[in-house]
Amino acid sequence: MALLRLYLAGPMTGYPAFNYPAFFAAAQTLRDAGYAVINPASIGLHADWAYADYLRVSLRLMLNSGQGVAVLPRWDASRGAQTEVQVARALGWPVHTVAEWQALAASGTLAEYLAVHSH
């Protein structure tokens, strides 16, 4: 089975260092579990970008490369992450916490899970 490509969604605005350390740690955890990871923190900071610019680029990354979403703690308090999760669910993509994705990989039943839960 090819690596499942997971997009990371979580809060950035208002966090120290835009919560990038949590994004990069989660990305490594998921890679160690066998997933390919799309990390929006990799976009970096751009002095001339507004919130909408980051959201537009992030959604494009998610839509062009993702197959599922891994959410970070407090994702539900983030406008951007809420939008990303809503789009993923509208597409029928699985959405889980990083720990849940990690447990699925460790259980050896990811292929069976995806056969039932992916659209």
Side-chain angles (χ1 to χ4, degrees), residues 10-114:
M12 290 182 174
T13 303
Y15 281 73
F18 297 96
N19 209 22
Y20 282 10
F23 274 81
F24 285 105
Q28 190 58 55
T29 295
L30 291 168
R31 285 186 187 107
D32 290 347
Y35 298 101
V37 180
I38 301 125
N39 182 355
S42 296
I43 295 167
L45 299 175
H46 302 271
D48 58 335
W49 282 21
Y51 170 82
D53 297 310
Y54 288 101
L55 184 59
R56 185 177 9 262
V57 170
S58 295
L59 284 171
R60 191 175 304 125
L61 276 173
M62 184 181 102
L63 291 169
N64 288 339
S65 302
Q67 297 173 295
V69 173
V71 293
L72 277 68
R74 299 205 27 84
W75 71 268
D76 53 344
S78 164
R79 266 189 318 155
Q82 286 177 19
T83 300
E84 293 159 345
V85 167
Q86 183 178 10
V87 169
R89 287 182 174 153
L91 294 171
W93 290 4
V95 176
H96 296 291
T97 67
V98 171
E100 289 168 338
W101 282 115
Q102 193 176 23
L104 270 171
S107 73
T109 60
L110 182 60
E112 295 83 5
Y113 169 84
L114 292 174

